[in-house]
Amino acid sequence: MLKSIKRSFKYFLIFIGILIMIPMILYPLLRQPEIQTLIIRRITRYFSQELKSTISVGKTELIFFNKLSLEDVLIKDKNHDTLVYTKKLTATIRKINAENREFTLGRVSLLNPVFSLITDSTGLLNLNWYLDLLRQQEKGSTLTPVKIQINHTDIRNASFSLINRTAAAGGEAIDFNNLRIRDVNGILEDFSIMNDTTSFSIYNLSFRESGGFNVLRMNSDFHLADHNIYITSAFINCDSSVLNI
């Protein structure tokens, strides 16, 4: 009897040892950028197939499980036009609550990002296409809506396009149906995606518009809801004028 207990205790210690050793073995492997990149590529490949679009990431590095670095991040829309691209993205992970579907990032840095809002020939905005997919998955489901928050974002040398392919070419100095902005630098705070609303505030934003309109500094609140874009409480310091809207 005693011998049997000793044998069982020995096996139990071996089992506990294995449980301890597995994380110790896997942790150095998971710290390797090559392994992390492989895992992320498999995940993005799965979502690309599900969405019938393109989501890809180049090099990936997770540091101490709360700081993420990504290179060559690309998200295309259903027409295979670029929605988002950034040369490098670094982010501090503040909160991941899978049960409540809440994801919060602290400080995010974007280097050479490209962001294009394109309304296609059917009148559908590409960003709304992704948001509609989320709503379709949640429709009739007991799951709570996905909530994404980013506290602070530094934007460096970005480009932005606002294109409406259903509109005729305009003759205005600034064509808001074919708006192209470059050399964008600034700070974005309180970014939030909840239900059908995307909102954030921008500070110290500067950029050059392709038609020659230059902004030295801009502060504003931004909302995208019900397929409409709202800019409120805007302060714009241009080359030769100051606007309060």
Side-chain angles (χ1 to χ4, degrees):
M1 179 70 175
L2 182 60
K3 186 176 182 180
S4 176
I5 293 175
K6 287 182 178 180
R7 187 184 300 112
S8 298
F9 184 68
K10 178 181 177 181
Y11 291 152
F12 176 75
L13 290 178
I14 293 174
F15 176 71
I16 294 299
I18 292 173
L19 290 180
I20 295 173
M21 288 298 295
I22 288 176
M24 293 177 64
I25 294 172
L26 290 180
Y27 178 74
L29 291 176
L30 293 175
R31 287 292 308 277
Q32 297 300 315
E34 294 80 7
I35 300 297
Q36 297 170 2
T37 299
L38 179 62
I39 294 173
I40 292 297
R41 284 181 178 175
R42 287 185 177 274
I43 294 173
T44 55
R45 189 181 302 121
Y46 168 79
F47 281 107
S48 295
Q49 293 172 351
E50 289 293 312
L51 297 173
K52 295 181 175 58
S53 184
T54 299
I55 300 176
S56 64
V57 178
K59 184 179 178 182
T60 304
E61 185 174 5
L62 181 62
I63 306 170
F64 298 120
F65 292 100
N66 71 335
K67 187 173 182 180
L68 183 66
S69 176
L70 304 174
E71 294 183 7
D72 296 320
V73 180
L74 173 64
I75 300 176
K76 292 188 176 182
D77 60 23
K78 71 183 183 94
N79 298 313
H80 300 286
D81 292 318
T82 297
L83 173 62
V84 176
Y85 170 81
T86 183
K87 181 64 178 176
K88 185 172 183 180
L89 181 155
T90 58
T92 302
I93 302 171
R94 293 297 186 194
K95 178 181 179 182
I96 296 179
N97 190 329
E99 182 178 356
N100 294 328
R101 308 180 77 189
E102 295 182 2
F103 305 90
T104 302
L105 300 180
R107 191 178 189 91
V108 174
S109 177
L110 298 174
L111 178 63
N112 298 338
V114 176
F115 186 39
S116 300
L117 291 178
I118 302 175
T119 301
D120 63 20
S121 58
T122 67
L124 179 63
L125 184 67
N126 54 0
L127 178 59
N128 280 333
W129 177 68
Y130 274 100
L131 296 177
D132 288 342
L133 287 176
L134 290 175
R135 285 194 291 269
Q136 288 173 10
Q137 291 178 353
E138 294 162 358
K139 189 177 181 180
S141 173
T142 58
L143 296 174
T144 57
V146 175
K147 185 176 182 180
I148 300 174
Q149 291 182 299
I150 303 175
N151 297 337
H152 181 100
T153 303
D154 290 313
I155 301 173
R156 294 290 175 265
N157 194 30
S159 299
F160 172 77
S161 300
L162 181 62
I163 301 171
N164 187 350
R165 290 176 176 164
T166 65
E172 300 85 358
I174 301 177
D175 185 2
F176 287 96
N177 291 312
N178 189 23
L179 184 68
R180 300 177 187 273
I181 297 173
R182 59 186 176 86
D183 298 333
V184 181
N185 295 278
I187 297 171
L188 184 152
E189 290 188 346
D190 300 325
F191 178 90
S192 174
I193 296 179
M194 181 66 176
N195 294 325
D196 63 345
T197 302
T198 300
S199 62
F200 56 85
S201 299
I202 54 177
Y203 300 97
N204 298 327
L205 186 72
S206 62
F207 59 82
R208 298 178 181 274
E209 192 268 330
S210 59
F213 177 67
N214 300 326
V215 170
L216 305 179
R217 184 165 68 93
M218 176 178 176
N219 301 330
S220 180
D221 296 328
F222 178 100
H223 301 272
L224 173 63
D226 298 326
H227 295 194
N228 294 308
I229 298 174
Y230 303 93
I231 298 176
T232 59
S233 304
F235 170 84
I236 306 174
N237 186 358
C238 311
D239 284 333
S240 57
S241 60
V242 175
L243 305 175
N244 282 295
I245 303 174

